């Protein structure tokens, strides 16, 4: 809630509708945390050698979400190419991670939760892409 | 919600009670976003030259929260000195940022929101410090 | 030097020639540091209000470089779309930051140094893009 | 080299001697990259299940180095408690990672390289701690 609230007090024009933008930033934060924990849970499993691709894609997803949250969170003197590129990077990483986590969802509950969070973040990124006023 | 949910599925013993730990990780994520946006809002204000200390402490706070979220989010083979140090770093950065943002809260609504979020994160970090099972 | 050295010991096939990849990762690290310091130097200048766009683009560039370094540094189970997207994000951010820093290079020596580092990072990213074996 | 060069152009007093500070920031960048790659190399090894603690401590070390580089890189309106805390966090993470990597150095060359880099970063952090003018 605090993310939308602070966006609404920003002195410059927002790059998109405050609610759509805040939802994307909130999901990037939640997805970074969830993927960090899923990677860590995977390395703590007895069958870690089956989860190597999942660890890697969770780590990538956390890093992509972190960069997207920061670059898209800034409204002052926004630079559309960087915004759009980081949004695409986040989308690609969320999709790859969700696809992989889903393969392990039946065996590892943390992968099911991580997959669901990656899908929510993917959808929030898609909604923001459609709403970016600076790209229209 | 997804952070507590995924922590509860982790194969290793958690470093603290899942609810206390999840609240800290969630606040670190919210505080990183809020401080990133407050720093950006400050540089977008006409009186940016009055807000230099606020920008600097918001940027530090965002970086400290990011590191705390990641290091404290990991439960596998936890290393107590790193955990405690990153928690202290996050606490010090949140306090400094809240103190500074409060000085500007009457003039800039984003500073008031950022100060409140830093205080919530500070309290969540203190609660986690008291609850760290690996340090007892 | 240690980055190329450790890449050469990696158990999996590298996504590109070790020297080209290491140069890109090294420049991402140097550019993240240089842009972090340039943003900070700008907010410490008496004419900070003339440097707002420079601060913003330096902060973006540091975040893009950080994500690129991490995602491109991983060789295990590499995912080409994430790699290519983060490389494009880094390229876009370096170009935008170099263009802006160059405008201030005559007045602020830190902007001249930052611009030169962003150009080196941009070139290293372009060389890596041409060398990515997983995209061929 | 560019890090020391840009520090020497900063408009504010540096928190320490430029060469000592630059060496620490450079090592933090090199250590973040090296530990990111060592964690990734470990998950790509056939004996990944023997390397779980190494992966975890390498990931922590990369995150601690990233935060230290950014918070210590800022000179404008420096806040000594945050600086000192992040330096201690980085020191603790580098030591723990070096200790663990050394255990695997005979079997995995990437662990030997990572251990050596962590020790260099640890020493650079200790030198900076001794040189911090703002704490004197």
């Amino acid at each position: 809630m605090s993310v939308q609230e602070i966006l609404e007090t920003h002195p410059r024009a927002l790059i998109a509708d405050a609610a759509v933008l805040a939802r994307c930033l909130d999901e990037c934060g939640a997805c970074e945390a969830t993927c960090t924990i899923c990677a860590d849970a995977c390395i703590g499993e007895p069958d870690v050698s089956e989860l190597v691709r999942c660890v890697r894609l969770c780590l990538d997803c956390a890093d992509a979400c972190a960069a997207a949250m920061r670059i898209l969170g800034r409204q002052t003197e926004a630079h559309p190419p960087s915004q759009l590129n980081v949004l695409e990077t986040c989308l690609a990483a969320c999709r790859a991670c969700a696809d992989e986590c889903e393969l392990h969802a039946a065996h590892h509950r943390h992968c099911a939760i991580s997959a669901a969070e990656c899908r929510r973040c993917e959808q929030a990124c898609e909604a923001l892409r459609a709403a970016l006023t600076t790209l229209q």
Side-chain angles (χ1 to χ4, degrees), chain A residues 20-133:
Chain A
V20 175
L21 179 55
R23 192 184 145 225
C24 181
L25 301 179
D26 285 336
E27 292 298 347
C28 283
C31 196
E32 182 187 357
T34 305
C35 286
T36 297
I37 296 168
C38 191
D40 177 72
C42 287
I43 66 162
E45 292 286 0
D47 64 338
V48 55
S49 59
E50 307 298 313
L51 297 166
V52 166
R53 187 168 171 79
C54 194
V55 173
R56 192 251 146 79
L57 294 175
C58 280
L59 294 176
D60 278 5
C61 194
D63 291 332
C65 286
M69 189 274 274
R70 291 190 172 212
I71 293 175
L72 295 167
R74 295 186 189 109
Q75 312 302 309
T76 300
E77 301 287 341
H79 183 248
S82 298
Q83 287 166 31
L84 192 58
N85 271 301
V86 84
L87 197 49
E88 294 295 344
T89 300
C90 192
L91 269 166
C94 285
R95 268 184 207 132
C97 192
D99 288 350
E100 181 65 24
C101 282
E102 283 167 3
L103 300 177
H104 309 285
H107 296 96
H108 295 299
R109 181 80 189 126
H110 49 82
C111 292
I113 294 168
S114 180
E117 179 53 51
C118 289
R119 291 292 178 215
R120 276 197 296 276
C121 192
E122 182 189 342
Q123 287 160 12
C125 287
E126 282 172 348
L128 177 57
R129 188 172 51 184
L132 280 174
T133 52

